[in-house]
Amino acid sequence: MRSLKELTRPNIWALKPYSSARDEYSGADASVFLDANENPYNTPNNRYPDPLQRELKSLLAPLKGVKEENIFLGNGSDEAIDLIFRAFCQPGVDNVVAIEPTYGMYKVCAEVNDVEYRPMLLDVYYQMKASALLSAIDEYTKVMFVCSPNNPTGNSMCRKEIDSLLKRFDGLVVVDEAYIDFSDLPSLLADLDKYPNLIVLQTFSKAWGNAAIRLGMAFASPEIIAIFNKIKYPYNVNRLTQEEAIKCLQQPEKVQAWVNTLLEERARVMEEIVKLPCCIRVFPTDANFFLAKVYEATQIYDYLVSEGIIVRNRTNVALCSDCLRITIGTKEENDALLEALSKIEIE
Ligand SMILES: *Cc1c(COP(=O)(O)O)cnc(C)c1O
C-alpha cells in the first residue's frame, strides 16, 4: 500500500480541523455549560450532540467485533462515500475504479467531486475478477469500490477476488456491505486489522430497519477514521439519530427476527415468481431483494405501477436488460406482487 499520506489529498493531510466547543471540553464532570451559545431551555434538544457519538460507538464496537477507533458514523453511508472522495481524490487529477453494474452513489459522488470514474463490467455471472479491476488502474487511481452483496444484482462478490484486490492494489479498497446482514457469508470486518487499505461500509438503512434516521457506518484503520473525523461536519449525526440507534442496538434480536422472516419470504417469492409466464429467470441473491429477468420489463413495470406496486426497473443498467429489482416486503405485500404478476398474459 502507498502511505496514507501519499493517498490523501495534500490540503486534507495539512488541514487543521474546526474545533467545536464540545471538542474542547468533552468531560462529563461539569454541570454548568456556558461555552457553546446554546439556549439553556428546551432540554435535551437545546444541547449540541456528541460530535464523536461515543456512547453509540461503545455499543457498536463489541457488536461488530472492532475497536471504537475503527468506526466512523455519518449521515447515511452516503456521507462516508462522499468523504472518501473529498479526503483522497484530487479533483480533475485522480480516478477511482468500480465494479459495474453497482450502486449509483459512487458514480454520482465521483462526478460531484470531479473525479474520473472507471466502471469495470462484471462477467455474465455478475462476478468480479481482481485482475480485470487492476487492469483499469494507473498511478492516479486512489480508490476501488466493491459492493458485496452487490446492488442491483444481489449476489456476493467472490471472497478470493476481494482478498486478491486488497493484497495487489496499493490504494484503498471500499467494500460496501449494506446488505451483509442478509448474507450467510462473513463480513470483511474480521480482517480489518489485516488490511490497512480496507474500508468497510455498513448501514442502519436495510436490515436494521432505520433508513429514516440516516445513519451509516464506515470501518477502517484508526488513521483513516481520523481523516474522516477531521473533515466531517462537526455535528454530522444529530441527537435524535444517536438516541434512536442506541435503542435499536439494545434489541439486536428484533433485527435478527426481521432478517429471518425476510429470508423465508425471499425464498418463497423467488420460488413462486419463476413459475409465472412473465418471468424468465431469477438471479441468486444474498440480499433483501432479487433481480428477475422478465418479458418486457418496462411494460411490466408500468403495469405494476398502475396496480399501485412499485419495483425498480433496471432494464437500462449494464448486464440487466429486462430486469426488475424486487425488494422483499411483508407477506401481504409480496402476495399482492405475485397476484398482480400472475394476471399478465404472455402471447
Ligand atoms: C441502500 C444502500 C446503501 C445505504 O445508504 P444509506 O446512505 O446508508 O442509506 C449503501 N450502499 C448500498 C449498495 C445500498 O444499496
Side-chain angles (χ1 to χ4, degrees):
M1 176 183 164
R2 279 167 277 175
S3 73
L4 200 55
K5 185 177 178 185
E6 286 172 285
L7 289 170
T8 306
R9 289 171 63 190
N11 60 312
I12 300 298
W13 190 261
L15 181 77
K16 202 176 162 309
Y18 170 74
S19 180
S20 69
R22 266 315 146 269
D23 287 321
E24 285 183 13
Y25 182 82
S26 59
D29 310 335
S31 58
V32 180
F33 287 100
L34 305 176
D35 59 344
N37 297 347
E38 296 154 338
N39 188 322
Y41 309 111
N42 202 36
T43 305
N45 282 351
N46 58 330
R47 297 296 175 192
Y48 280 103
D50 177 0
L52 291 171
Q53 310 96 23
R54 277 165 272 228
E55 185 184 357
L56 182 45
K57 284 178 187 169
S58 76
L59 294 173
L60 256 184
L63 191 84
K64 299 291 180 181
V66 301
K67 293 192 281 296
E68 290 167 40
E69 312 88 81
N70 294 120
I71 308 175
F72 166 83
L73 297 175
N75 187 334
S77 323
D78 292 345
E79 180 180 359
I81 294 167
D82 190 52
L83 288 185
I84 289 166
F85 283 98
R86 288 165 53 200
F88 302 113
C89 300
Q90 193 70 40
V93 176
D94 290 333
N95 66 72
V96 303
V97 172
I99 59 170
E100 172 81 3
T102 193
Y103 186 47
M105 271 312 282
Y106 318 137
K107 181 160 191 270
V108 170
C109 274
E111 284 171 358
V112 166
N113 289 286
D114 191 21
V115 170
E116 186 195 346
Y117 184 81
R118 300 183 174 179
M120 296 303 287
L121 215 54
L122 296 171
D123 69 17
V124 291
Y125 304 103
Y126 295 143
Q127 260 313 323
M128 69 167 221
K129 280 269 175 284
S131 54
L133 294 182
L134 289 165
S135 75
I137 66 174
D138 60 25
E139 62 186 296
Y140 298 105
T141 307
K142 293 289 190 67
V143 186
M144 291 214 187
F145 286 92
V146 174
C147 185
S148 182
N150 189 28
N151 179 2
T153 62
N155 62 308
S156 300
M157 297 299 109
C158 176
R159 180 55 196 261
K160 249 178 54 195
E161 298 298 321
I162 298 176
D163 281 319
S164 168
L165 210 57
L166 282 158
K167 285 179 192 143
R168 292 160 67 191
F169 180 49
D170 66 359
L172 301 169
V173 178
V174 177
V175 181
D176 188 338
E177 295 188 336
Y179 300 97
I180 193 68
D181 302 286
F182 299 103
S183 171
D184 292 331
L185 298 171
S187 162
L188 264 96
L189 279 184
D191 283 346
L192 208 54
D193 291 338
K194 182 169 157 193
Y195 296 120
N197 58 341
L198 171 63
I199 301 174
V200 176
L201 302 180
Q202 294 186 8
T203 179
F204 276 69
S205 298
K206 306 291 159 58
W208 291 81
N210 267 302
I213 73 172
R214 307 309 301 133
L215 187 62
M217 302 164 263
F219 303 92
S221 72
E223 293 76 20
I224 292 176
I225 298 301
I227 293 175
F228 292 154
N229 284 336
K230 188 158 91 158
I231 64 175
K232 76 183 187 73
Y233 289 162
Y235 304 107
N236 61 327
V237 179
N238 71 68
R239 192 190 68 76
L240 299 170
T241 294
Q242 294 188 41
E243 191 178 314
E244 199 59 32
I246 287 165
K247 266 197 248 162
C248 179
L249 286 170
Q250 283 160 348
Q251 34 193 325
E253 67 288 344
K254 200 157 125 185
V255 175
Q256 199 48 55
W258 288 333
V259 168
N260 293 343
T261 303
L262 290 170
L263 292 182
E264 278 170 29
E265 275 298 293
R266 185 183 76 188
R268 180 181 76 91
V269 175
M270 290 175 76
E271 195 180 305
E272 292 302 318
I273 208 168
V274 284
K275 293 180 192 160
L276 301 177
C278 65
C279 182
I280 298 169
R281 64 167 297 193
V282 293
F283 293 91
T285 180
D286 288 321
N288 64 333
F289 62 86
F290 66 94
L291 205 56
K293 193 170 183 78
V294 296
Y295 293 102
E296 302 296 344
T298 301
Q299 276 179 32
I300 293 178
Y301 173 82
D302 290 341
Y303 159 74
L304 287 173
V305 170
S306 76
E307 295 288 302
I309 298 169
I310 315 300
V311 297
R312 200 87 200 270
N313 184 2
R314 298 283 78 187
T315 191
N316 293 324
V317 168
L319 305 178
C320 297
S321 66
D322 277 320
C323 287
L324 300 175
R325 193 194 69 190
I326 299 172
T327 307
I328 302 301
T330 62
K331 180 169 193 314
E332 293 69 29
E333 290 169 330
N334 302 331
D335 283 342
L337 171 79
L338 290 168
E339 168 74 13
L341 288 175
S342 72
K343 291 187 192 141
I344 298 173
E345 285 173 31
I346 306 284
E347 61 284 350

